[in-house]
Amino acid sequence: MTMNRTVLIWSAISLVFLAEATALAAIDASNWWSFQHVTKPTLPEDETARALNPIDSFIRARLTKERLSPAPEADRRTLIRRITFDLTGLPPMPEEAGAFLRDQSADAYEKIVDRLLASPRYGERWARHWLDTVHYGETHGYDKDKPRLNAWRYRDYVIEAFNSDKPYSRFIQEQLAADALFPDEPQWTPALGFIAAGPWDFVGHVELPITKTDGLIARYNDRDDMVMNTMSTFQSLTVHCARCHDHKFDPISARDYYALQTVFAGVDRADRRFDKDAQIARERRELTERIRVLAAERTAIEAEIASAGGEPLQAIDRRINAAQSGAKENKAAAFGYHSSIALHQNETKWVQVDIGRVVELDRIEFAGCHDTFNNIGAGFGFPLRYKIEVSNDAAFRNGVTIVEDQGDRDAPNPGTALQSVEVCTCLTDDASRVKARFVRFTATKLAPRQNDFIFALAELRVLDPSGKNVAAGATVTALDSIEAPVRWQKRNLVDDHYVRAETSSGGESLAILQIEREKLTPDALRSRLQSNSLQKEEVAPRLKALPAEELVYSASRDFPANGGFIAAKQPRAVHLLKRGDVKKPGEEMKSGTLTGIPALAHAFQCSDEADESSRRAALAKWLTHPDNLLTRRSIVNRVWHYHFERGLVETPNDFGRMGAEPSHPELLDWLAFWFQENGESLKKLHRLIVTSATYRQVSSEPKPGGVPADSGNRLLWRMNRARLDAEQFRDSILAVSGQLDLTMGGLSVQQFAFKDDHSPVYDYARFDLNSPGANRRSIYRFVVRSMPDPFMDALDCPDASILSPVRNTTMTALQALAVLNDALVIRQAEKFAQRLEKEANSVDKQISRAYELALLRSPSAAERERLVNHAKKHGLANACRVLFNSNEFHFLD
């Protein structure tokens, strides 16, 4: 009987759900407030009081309708704490509060707002909100949670964007397609860290190839995260719900979803190289392209040579191949060291060998090069005048000259014959052998080449008394060098191979065979080939001389292969998966976006489907199209949420049918239009909101009928009470103790002991609180996904693996214990006490100063007495811990 009743109950429940699903299916999904095209609402007339700004007109009109009245304005101490924490995340200092309290001008509050918005601390605070929203972290997550050591540049980009008040549409476009839309502004490349902000499956990408089912699933999952992050952040829509079927509640089809996946089909998450300087980036791009063109030209010339040379050329190529197989190494084109080209013959060039240790020297040997360029042949580039020195000082500030400069006479060209110079013992006072670590060969009069001058040397050998060449494989440095492997490079100088010695076991010289091969080449082709080589020799050093590129972990399509993780040469195929199953691929998709919003149907225009960056550019332009009101509604709602602890729409990432409806729809739309009309300036939006009378209300004013009519304060008849979040609390105790390090930007501080194991280990207990960087702002902490900071985690710091547009706010015993006993709190209480001891000479005055710094007020007589007694009994540091643990320190109002 019981079983039958259970079956009947579940059957009834199933019928209810089926009926609801059927009813929802019959509803026009696009008939929902967020998908409707609207015009800018008009301001309501404020019949109760003169509104301070347009926001108050909407709020008070609704309050009047509900027979409620607004609360009075908060006192100035409350206001300066509220606005300072709100805009900068830090507490105001007593001096700042005092100045505000003394300022009786009508715009005293507005001046505070403007000062805070201009502070670099503003960008740090609001970047933290943004990083929560996009689930930014500095490790991969999943089971192999490896660090991303270059992710921090995206964080710094966000801080800079907020501080510079970058227009919001530009902010979006840079994060999705900075490389495509702004190629001449490479400094914004770190913005692409947005696409790579979320977690990444190391095993699924590196250890599994895309040809395996699990590897393919990992790639689809990765793109799913990119789509979710983009559309949840910028549109406040749950597009990812359409992965397995059409969205059940919103006008988003599975086709739309996979079209959006296709947008990201050509990029992966990896370190990306970039130049911050636009001029250097332009030069690198031009030189790289020039080398590519020269390489293509050389391939074409070689093909012509092979065709023109016919059978004789093929025969000598066979001899060269045989000689190469018999030689110790393939050195056929390894001619030696070649300086940069000089315009004047009297320029000085030098090359030197670092033996690596001080050794006794017996003799120095050297050989000239052989090159058919301009019919020079043997002795190519050998200087007309030179000297050889040895020293124990790499800079040769002192040393011994082995071969003197030839003065006013040119030295004979030795061709390719090996030359030998004895290091005479007579050069030393005690008749002992010369000992040195460095040997330098300096050209004081360069060899002519063709309307210019060079210095070239095939080999430099340094023999000890046993006859061993101690320079073989040594480090070679030079004033300058043309590095064009394998023909010309510094290391050729000490490879123990040169024309006379470069023979196979059969006795044929590889270099001579190469020369014979060149003789078979028609003059015109040989000239073109030499010209090509010369141009490359001139371009390659210029490219190498450019400053090293920087790295950012971001969307990338050019990175070294790592196991199964290989960059896509072209955008990968994305299929419409039946029920989201990679084993059931449907048609191959083209890039696109939401088709269920008629007002935006025309806005997605991809100029080149084969170019993956064009796809991202098209999406960025669609998101920022003037007709896309969702983009503006989404961001103004987020800003409102962080100012009032609750958005006009309580679900910032879901404006769909399963999300909340706006409490003040006309105000939301008005703000979206106002934001667009005012240059999409976030700072102007902040100023509009925080200067409203609505924002300046007290938070705890009791109102007759207020609680029964609107217990959740959705209508804002008072201000919502706010508690310091994890970063605000941590930064506040550092600021109050006088220890806060305001250094901006750069590498994140790893506040843990790290071990890069099979599964990396992050140990926070072993972190030294006195180490450099320990007192930097919380925004600069290295954020680990799998192992969050236990202290910050206890204070509701969000999980970096998930989108966190709204933070949980809990009140637990664990939080109280953490704030009381954590090593950081204890240390900063001690530092706070040390500060007080420096600034006041009695316990009574120290407690008064502590209240000023921590709470912006003086203690009452009873408070002073109790805390003075506590300090005398338990120490001043313990009294400071009491203040850190007080509700008044943790709550703004």
Side-chain angles (χ1 to χ4, degrees):
M1 184 68 177
T2 303
M3 179 65 71
N4 290 338
R5 290 180 63 186
T6 302
V7 171
L8 287 172
I9 290 171
W10 279 111
S11 297
I13 292 172
S14 298
L15 287 172
V16 170
F17 278 117
L18 181 60
E20 289 183 356
T22 303
L24 285 169
I27 296 173
D28 180 5
S30 63
N31 187 24
W32 184 247
W33 69 268
S34 59
F35 303 115
Q36 300 301 305
H37 179 72
V38 296
T39 56
K40 184 178 181 180
T42 58
L43 288 173
E45 294 184 5
D46 185 6
E47 299 176 355
T48 58
R50 179 175 175 271
L52 296 179
N53 77 16
I55 288 174
D56 299 318
S57 295
F58 287 99
I59 297 296
R60 293 186 179 188
R62 182 68 185 278
L63 291 177
T64 300
K65 182 179 179 180
E66 301 295 335
R67 298 182 180 180
L68 291 170
S69 58
E73 183 168 298
D75 63 82
R76 285 199 163 193
R77 169 184 169 273
T78 298
L79 283 179
I80 194 169
R81 287 195 83 221
R82 179 187 296 171
I83 191 61
T84 306
F85 270 113
D86 228 6
L87 292 181
T88 69
L90 296 174
M93 290 295 101
E95 298 73 20
E96 297 168 339
F100 178 50
L101 294 174
R102 291 189 299 271
D103 189 349
Q104 298 303 309
S105 61
D107 62 345
Y109 176 75
E110 285 75 10
K111 287 189 290 187
I112 291 289
V113 171
D114 292 338
R115 175 177 62 80
L116 295 173
L117 287 173
S119 168
R121 312 283 83 82
Y122 156 77
E124 292 172 328
R125 174 57 182 164
W126 283 82
R128 182 64 265 166
H129 292 319
W130 186 260
L131 298 179
D132 281 2
T133 302
V134 303
H135 67 338
Y136 165 84
E138 293 174 81
T139 61
H140 292 328
Y142 292 93
D143 51 343
K144 288 194 177 180
D145 193 21
K146 293 184 178 293
R148 300 172 175 176
L149 299 179
N150 297 304
W152 59 270
R153 286 191 170 88
Y154 173 68
R155 176 209 64 209
D156 281 3
Y157 161 81
V158 176
I159 293 172
E160 182 182 358
F162 280 118
N163 276 333
S164 64
D165 200 20
K166 192 181 292 283
Y168 188 61
S169 283
R170 174 70 186 236
F171 186 48
I172 293 174
Q173 291 174 358
E174 288 176 354
Q175 291 180 84
L176 287 173
D179 54 337
L181 294 175
F182 313 107
D184 295 327
E185 301 176 64
Q187 66 270 32
W188 307 129
T189 300
L192 297 173
F194 165 83
I195 297 174
W200 182 73
D201 185 356
F202 179 91
V203 173
H205 284 83
V206 174
E207 299 181 4
L208 296 172
I210 197 171
T211 53
K212 299 282 188 180
T213 298
D214 287 347
L216 184 59
I217 290 172
R219 272 68 172 183
Y220 271 95
N221 286 345
D222 200 51
R223 289 192 297 270
D224 175 76
D225 182 83
M226 295 176 184
V227 171
M228 176 181 66
N229 199 23
T230 300
M231 300 305 285
S232 296
T233 298
F234 300 127
Q235 298 291 273
S236 295
L237 293 177
T238 55
V239 172
H240 49 287
C241 290
R243 182 174 181 176
C244 300
H245 46 66
D246 291 349
H247 202 294
K248 294 296 186 183
F249 311 109
D250 299 332
I252 304 167
S253 68
R255 293 184 63 84
D256 292 345
Y257 168 80
Y258 285 103
L260 281 164
Q261 269 222 18
T262 306
V263 170
F264 300 102
V267 292
D268 291 282
R269 305 171 202 252
D271 284 332
R272 183 184 187 119
R273 297 185 297 272
F274 73 101
D275 291 297
K276 292 184 70 173
D277 185 276
Q279 177 59 36
I280 292 174
R282 189 178 304 110
E283 187 174 356
R284 191 186 306 278
R285 188 164 57 246
E286 292 171 354
L287 291 174
T288 301
E289 175 61 16
R290 183 60 183 150
I291 287 177
R292 187 195 67 78
V293 170
L294 288 171
E297 287 180 358
R298 185 178 185 86
T299 299
I301 296 169
E302 290 283 6
E304 288 186 61
I305 290 172
S307 176
E311 286 298 325
L313 191 64
Q314 294 176 21
I316 200 167
D317 279 344
R318 286 192 293 270
R319 290 171 62 196
I320 289 174
N321 290 334
Q324 287 175 343
S325 63
K328 290 187 291 184
E329 289 185 81
N330 175 13
K331 295 293 178 181
F335 280 31
Y337 158 77
H338 190 315
S339 76
S340 292
I341 295 167
L343 297 179
H344 304 287
Q345 192 169 29
N346 292 329
E347 289 188 30
T348 298
K349 304 280 189 179
W350 58 262
V351 64
Q352 72 184 40
V353 173
D354 177 2
I355 299 169
R357 66 191 189 284
V358 176
V359 297
E360 289 186 349
L361 305 181
D362 182 65
R363 63 182 56 252
I364 296 173
E365 297 178 341
F366 54 92
C369 298
H370 192 298
D371 196 351
T372 58
F373 179 82
N374 204 26
N375 296 315
I376 295 175
F380 172 81
F382 194 86
L384 277 69
R385 297 173 194 172
Y386 62 91
K387 63 180 178 178
I388 302 175
E389 303 166 280
V390 299
S391 177
N392 291 325
D393 173 20
F396 277 77
R397 286 180 288 264
N398 52 67
V400 176
T401 300
I402 305 300
V403 175
E404 297 279 357
D405 181 276
Q406 290 73 38
D408 57 357
R409 293 181 298 106
D410 292 345
N413 190 319
T416 59
L418 186 66
Q419 305 296 301
S420 180
V421 177
E422 185 179 359
V423 181
C424 298
T425 56
C426 59
L427 292 173
T428 59
D429 294 334
D430 58 359
S432 63
R433 292 189 181 275
V434 173
K435 297 179 181 179
R437 172 175 172 174
F438 301 95
V439 177
R440 175 179 288 192
F441 194 116
T442 302
T444 56
K445 184 177 180 181
L446 303 180
R449 196 185 68 112
Q450 185 181 47
N451 301 321
D452 49 31
F453 305 91
I454 59 160
F455 164 36
L457 197 62
E459 191 71 23
L460 185 62
R461 307 176 81 239
V462 181
L463 307 183
D464 66 9
S466 70
K468 179 182 177 182
N469 179 14
V470 292
T475 300
V476 179
T477 55
L479 175 67
D480 51 42
S481 173
I482 285 180
E483 295 291 304
V486 290
R487 185 184 180 98
W488 301 114
Q489 54 188 340
K490 291 193 294 289
R491 70 181 186 182
N492 288 350
L493 190 66
V494 291
D495 61 359
D496 243 352
H497 290 273
Y498 50 100
V499 170
R500 296 293 185 183
E502 224 173 55
T503 58
S504 68
S505 56
E508 288 203 276
S509 167
L510 294 176
I512 297 300
L513 286 173
Q514 183 69 28
I515 293 168
E516 291 300 316
R517 184 184 190 277
E518 290 181 358
K519 290 179 180 177
L520 294 173
T521 304
D523 291 344
L525 291 175
R526 184 164 57 245
S527 177
R528 285 170 57 195
L529 189 63
Q530 290 173 343
S531 175
N532 178 280
S533 299
L534 176 61
Q535 291 180 62
K536 187 175 180 181
E537 289 170 1
E538 292 174 343
V539 172
R542 289 171 58 194
L543 181 62
K544 187 175 181 180
L546 293 176
E549 294 170 286
E550 298 193 45
L551 293 173
V552 59
Y553 189 83
S554 69
S556 179
R557 58 177 183 270
D558 180 18
F559 51 86
N562 182 13
F565 186 46
I566 302 171
K569 294 182 179 179
Q570 58 188 9
R572 300 181 179 94
V574 174
H575 295 270
L576 176 60
L577 303 182
K578 297 176 182 179
R579 301 190 64 81
D581 188 347
V582 298
K583 297 178 183 179
K584 299 178 180 179
E587 68 175 287
E588 185 173 337
M589 300 299 296
K590 290 185 177 181
S591 62
T593 186
L594 307 185
T595 57
I597 306 177
L600 297 175
H602 65 288
F604 186 89
Q605 300 290 334
C606 181
S607 60
D608 183 2
E609 190 69 21
D611 176 19
E612 73 82 21
S613 64
S614 294
R615 303 178 183 192
R616 290 184 285 111
L619 177 58
K621 290 180 179 179
W622 182 87
L623 289 167
T624 57
H625 194 279
D627 292 342
N628 196 335
L629 192 62
L630 264 176
T631 301
R632 285 82 191 182
R633 281 169 164 165
S634 175
I635 187 59
V636 299
N637 186 67
R638 293 190 193 281
V639 173
W640 187 278
H641 161 79
Y642 289 119
H643 282 307
F644 287 96
E645 300 294 306
R646 178 185 292 165
L648 293 167
V649 180
E650 289 188 89
T651 52
N653 272 20
D654 189 0
F655 280 10
R657 192 175 292 273
M658 297 306 289
E661 296 188 58
S663 60
H664 299 77
E666 295 84 5
L667 174 57
L668 178 63
D669 287 342
W670 186 90
L671 284 171
F673 279 102
W674 180 94
F675 180 64
Q676 193 168 11
E677 292 164 359
N678 284 269
E680 296 188 331
S681 165
L682 288 168
K683 287 190 176 183
K684 288 181 180 179
L685 180 62
H686 288 302
R687 196 179 194 281
L688 179 70
I689 292 173
V690 302
T691 56
S692 69
T694 303
Y695 178 84
R696 290 194 271 184
Q697 295 177 109
V698 297
S699 66
S700 56
E701 180 75 9
K703 303 293 294 182
V707 173
D710 183 24
S711 60
N713 193 34
R714 291 292 288 128
L715 303 181
L716 294 172
W717 51 272
R718 60 176 174 82
M719 185 59 173
N720 290 314
R721 195 179 192 200
R723 191 192 75 178
L724 300 186
D725 62 28
E727 287 88 351
Q728 284 177 316
F729 176 75
R730 180 182 176 278
D731 292 349
S732 291
I733 62 175
L734 288 167
V736 168
S737 67
Q739 298 299 302
L740 183 62
D741 179 355
L742 293 177
T743 301
M744 293 185 69
L747 288 168
S748 297
V749 182
Q750 297 187 7
Q751 298 183 350
F752 45 76
F754 174 68
K755 181 180 180 182
D756 191 4
D757 209 340
H758 177 76
S759 291
V761 177
Y762 303 90
D763 186 354
Y764 293 89
R766 293 170 56 196
F767 177 67
D768 181 6
L769 290 173
N770 293 317
S771 62
N775 295 336
R776 293 187 68 190
R777 285 201 71 174
S778 300
I779 185 75
Y780 299 114
R781 291 183 311 114
F782 193 97
V783 179
V784 180
R785 298 185 196 276
S786 63
M787 186 61 66
D789 183 333
F791 177 66
M792 304 295 281
D793 191 40
L795 298 181
D796 297 323
C797 206
D799 182 350
S801 292
I802 60 176
L803 304 178
S804 301
V806 178
R807 287 196 179 191
N808 292 327
T809 303
T810 62
M811 306 284 270
T812 67
L814 182 60
Q815 290 172 349
L817 290 170
V819 172
L820 184 65
N821 298 316
D822 188 84
L824 172 69
V825 179
I826 294 173
R827 179 63 52 85
Q828 293 312 312
E830 295 168 350
K831 295 295 185 180
F832 190 14
Q834 293 171 12
R835 175 180 184 176
L836 297 174
E837 288 169 347
K838 292 179 181 178
E839 297 183 7
N841 55 16
S842 69
V843 177
D844 186 77
K845 291 180 180 178
Q846 290 163 356
I847 295 301
S848 294
R849 180 59 173 161
Y851 266 81
E852 289 176 2
L853 289 166
L855 305 178
L856 287 189
R857 67 174 178 85
S858 299
S860 66
E863 288 172 332
R864 180 182 289 106
E865 181 181 1
R866 291 183 65 186
L867 210 55
V868 166
N869 291 336
H870 185 85
K872 289 180 177 178
K873 184 176 181 180
H874 300 288
L876 187 57
N878 264 307
C880 293
R881 283 172 73 193
V882 170
L883 286 179
F884 286 163
N885 281 269
S886 65
N887 277 353
E888 194 172 349
F889 189 84
H890 284 264
F891 288 86
L892 294 185
D893 291 34

